Amino acid sequence: MDKIVIFGGERLRGEARIHGAKNAALLIQCAALLTERVSTLRHVPKLSDIHTMSSLLTHLGCTVEGDRTVVVDPTQVADGPLEAPYDLVKTMRAAVTVMGPLLARYGHCRVSLPGGCAIGARPIDQHLRGLEALGAKIVLKHGYVELKARRLRGASFVFDTVTVGGTQNLMMAATLAKGTSRLENVAREPEVEELAIVLNKMGARIRGAGTSMIEVEGVDELDGFDHAVVPDRIEAGTLAVAAAITRGNVVLVDAPVDHMHATLAKLEEAGAECRVEPGGLRVIGPDRLEPIDVSTRPYPGFPTDMQAQMMVLAACADGQSLITETIFENRFMHVPELCRMGAEITVQGNSAVVRGGARLTGAEVMATDLRASASLVLAGLVASGKTEVRRVYHLDRGYESIEKRLRALGAKIQRRKDGRA
Ligand code: UD1
């Protein structure tokens, strides 16, 4: 297993090009199951989650080739197991979103229930209720969901809660249903809109993606796609925080600024300068950061995937910040680790009071989820002395070679072999 070793205190400078968005790419990979034709996905980030999804597609009978450009040939899926096994679903929850495409295209499938996950219970009741509304017969057996429908039929469905994965799953299922579906209270995240763009390229008839109501007129079959993934707003946001807290001056080439309004607004409130230039998004960190109050919300609100990173910024600010997590019930696992580095944070229910200004000091730290691990790397950039972030496989799920990117910007950071788990 690897660890990341950081010697803090360097100001970041230079340019970093933003990779393709993980959460968009994963779902577009699933969409390749909706057709018999070959599909090509470009600008794919090299991440372990993407490999896990490719393994699942291969398990289902697809031929998957390439990494930066991924080509999926699904011609053999009909002869495959039409099953997403527990080992893959527990590693990566997004695997449950093969349900919609498999059911719509092949009329049945079997998908392991994801179970609990490090950042909360994360149920899939909305996915299942939505598919039921489209006519699926669902049985839960031996930890698996078994779904059947000769042909899905268009229906109206109102989500009880805003779910990104649920919206994407149902939108994909509805593309091949007979008749029109009307999905209400849907997620408006850019990854939903991006998936709709791809599905429409395949011949689907989807309107309203990016708003809270999506209409899908079902079609009989879909074509393959050739699509380049949109840049990752969370990778860009994480690097923007890195620039802000190190009093850096960094240009994020290809940063999807239109998807980053909530994050950029908070960075500016904290005193960072965020400027859109012809070369990209320039972020300049101030000498003194102001405290900020942040509450996570569905898009276009502040993303839960940036909460941990913003907490590090709050820890560096002069004054008290309040960070509230409204999407997931257990997403403060970075707090004890940040406190071990000298941060002063108290959790009360779903809020964290951050008394900024304390000098962070390097320590051996470890987190149990992706964005929490990213926050520890950020803390290491400003902490005095040496920080070792262990269990780097969490980071590798969502950040491509983060140590190389930060090193290129002037950070003293390396990946080393870690003898311990
Ligand atoms: C969520 C985030 C997404 C982020 C991803 C990874 C939101 C709205 N979604 O997406 O931005 O990239 O995590 O961290 O911010 N829920 C149910 N029943 C369901 C599905 C979800 O109750 O069937 C609940 C979840 O427990 C959670 C909320 O709805 O509290 C949002 O979940 P959802 O959007 O589905 O999660 P992801 O798709 O993983």
Side-chain angles (χ1 to χ4, degrees):
M1 205 171 297
D2 292 348
K3 64 183 175 186
I4 300 271
V5 179
I6 309 159
F7 291 90
E10 303 301 319
R11 291 170 92 144
L12 300 191
R13 283 172 194 284
E15 273 188 18
R17 185 175 294 276
I18 303 306
H19 292 117
K22 166 177 90 83
N23 289 342
L26 285 174
L27 268 291
I28 300 172
Q29 282 181 291
C30 287
L33 291 168
L34 281 163
T35 170
E36 277 182 359
R37 313 272 166 70
V38 173
S39 292
T40 303
L41 188 55
R42 301 174 194 276
H43 292 180
V44 179
K46 294 184 187 175
L47 301 171
S48 59
D49 271 9
I50 298 286
H51 292 303
T52 306
M53 186 59 86
S54 294
S55 303
L56 174 55
L57 294 180
T58 306
H59 174 84
L60 289 166
C62 298
T63 307
V64 184
E65 280 170 0
D67 46 27
R68 188 69 73 203
T69 297
V70 175
V71 180
V72 182
D73 179 348
T75 22
Q76 304 301 319
V77 174
D79 309 326
L82 294 174
E83 176 185 300
Y86 178 60
D87 277 349
L88 290 171
V89 181
K90 81 167 178 346
T91 320
M92 188 194 54
R93 202 175 166 279
V96 299
T97 26
V98 298
M99 266 188 307
L102 287 178
L103 182 64
R105 173 74 190 79
Y106 299 97
H108 65 104
C109 65
R110 195 169 174 265
V111 173
S112 169
L113 283 164
C117 132
I119 60 173
R122 307 188 84 175
I124 57 165
D125 58 306
Q126 296 299 305
H127 299 238
L128 300 182
R129 283 194 48 229
L131 292 170
E132 239 165 14
L134 296 182
K137 294 276 174 284
I138 298 179
V139 183
L140 302 184
K141 235 197 252 169
H142 309 302
Y144 277 75
V145 191
E146 296 181 3
L147 303 104
K148 280 198 182 109
R150 196 164 294 148
R151 177 154 186 203
L152 294 174
R153 46 178 159 55
S156 287
F157 183 73
V158 184
F159 285 91
D160 286 341
T161 181
V162 176
T163 145
V164 179
T167 302
Q168 292 165 319
N169 214 349
L170 218 55
M171 188 167 75
M172 287 193 281
T175 56
L176 290 175
K178 189 166 177 53
T180 299
S181 300
R182 206 182 141 94
L183 312 178
E184 289 186 65
N185 194 25
V186 296
R188 297 157 63 187
E189 265 69 357
E191 297 74 32
V192 171
E193 222 177 323
E194 174 87 346
L195 179 62
I197 290 170
V198 174
L199 294 170
N200 283 343
K201 275 189 185 176
M202 297 170 78
R205 296 195 189 130
I206 301 172
R207 284 183 302 274
T211 73
S212 56
M213 208 272 282
I214 292 179
E215 239 177 38
V216 187
E217 200 183 315
V219 296
D220 290 337
E221 58 175 11
L222 293 170
D223 210 341
F225 59 80
D226 188 328
H227 185 77
V229 187
V230 66
D232 195 314
R233 63 194 170 108
I234 306 301
E235 186 195 41
T238 304
L239 292 175
V241 171
I245 59 176
T246 60
R247 292 181 294 138
N249 185 340
V250 168
V251 176
L252 302 173
V253 180
D254 290 341
V257 281
D258 285 344
H259 300 162
M260 295 173 68
H261 291 305
T263 300
L264 297 182
K266 286 296 162 190
L267 284 171
E268 287 184 328
E269 210 180 303
E273 197 179 325
C274 303
R275 226 166 41 212
V276 180
E277 296 181 353
L281 170 68
R282 184 180 294 277
V283 182
I284 302 173
D287 286 336
R288 192 176 155 273
L289 286 159
E290 301 287 339
I292 41 160
D293 290 345
V294 173
S295 182
T296 62
R297 297 269 180 246
Y299 189 85
F302 189 88
T304 175
D305 280 352
M306 281 300 301
Q307 179 257 108
Q309 300 90 313
M310 214 42 119
M311 194 176 292
V312 177
L313 183 144
C316 299
D318 276 345
Q320 182 167 300
S321 299
L322 184 69
I323 313 255
T324 305
E325 172 59 55
T326 73
I327 308 291
F328 294 114
E329 71 271 26
N330 187 20
R331 209 176 190 179
F332 281 144
M333 267 114 36
H334 39 291
V335 170
E337 296 299 274
L338 291 174
C339 289
R340 291 185 54 244
M341 295 179 74
E344 290 179 20
I345 306 170
T346 316
V347 173
Q348 291 165 355
N350 67 347
S351 289
V353 178
V354 186
R355 283 170 301 281
R359 182 87 173 97
L360 298 186
T361 54
E364 277 184 56
V365 286
M366 178 164 81
T368 46
D369 82 70
L370 164 59
R371 306 303 170 185
S373 303
S375 77
L376 300 178
V377 170
L378 292 176
L381 294 177
V382 289
S384 60
K386 179 174 163 188
T387 297
E388 291 193 3
V389 181
R390 293 171 50 199
R391 300 215 176 153
V392 167
Y393 58 84
H394 289 298
L395 277 168
D396 293 338
R397 287 188 52 202
Y399 293 92
E400 183 178 329
S401 311
I402 192 161
E403 74 283 4
K404 289 188 190 150
R405 328 223 64 200
L406 291 169
R407 200 161 54 233
L409 295 172
K412 287 195 179 139
I413 180 169
Q414 280 179 347
R415 178 183 291 253
R416 293 197 191 141
K417 285 273 165 256
D418 186 2
R420 292 163 298 175

